[in-house]
Amino acid sequence: MEQETNNILLVDNDGNEIEFEYIDSVEYGGNEYVVLVQLDDDSDDTEAVILRVEKGEEDKESYVGIDDENELNAVFALFLKQQEQYEEEE
């Protein structure tokens, strides 16, 4: 069975388009977060990017970076826990 990928194209502050693969979403503190991995990243280290989902006008979603290191660490810990649960179910 072929697994479908969910790619997301984001625009950074300089107007550059960057393509990411959606990995998972996490709920924490009443907020939703997405975990993404940058595609076509030439580095050897694959880093997950965690962004908070914010709803604007007409429920349009935008993704916002997280400045609070404690919040970021808590969301990442929940993401890792979810991944372990997914692996146990398989």
Side-chain angles (χ1 to χ4, degrees):
M1 180 189 222
E2 188 174 321
Q3 185 175 4
E4 186 177 320
T5 60
N6 294 313
N7 295 348
I8 298 173
L9 189 64
L10 300 179
V11 179
D12 68 11
N13 292 337
D14 297 324
N16 300 311
E17 293 183 343
I18 305 170
E19 190 172 15
F20 291 87
E21 180 180 357
Y22 169 85
I23 303 299
D24 205 353
S25 58
V26 177
E27 299 258 343
Y28 173 74
N31 293 309
E32 181 182 1
Y33 300 83
V34 291
V35 181
L36 309 171
V37 173
Q38 184 175 343
L39 297 174
D40 298 328
D41 186 2
D42 294 333
S43 69
D44 292 334
D45 297 328
T46 302
E47 291 187 21
V49 176
I50 300 174
L51 302 170
R52 183 175 38 249
V53 179
E54 294 187 356
K55 301 224 183 207
E57 295 178 20
E58 300 177 14
D59 285 335
K60 183 177 179 182
E61 290 184 350
S62 61
Y63 301 125
V64 179
I66 303 168
D67 294 327
D68 183 339
E69 192 170 328
N70 292 328
E71 178 183 5
L72 187 61
N73 288 335
V75 172
F76 186 65
L78 284 173
F79 165 70
L80 292 176
K81 186 175 182 178
Q82 278 184 190
Q83 295 304 303
E84 288 175 10
Q85 290 173 346
Y86 293 152
E87 289 175 9
E88 289 174 3
E89 291 174 2
E90 292 179 355

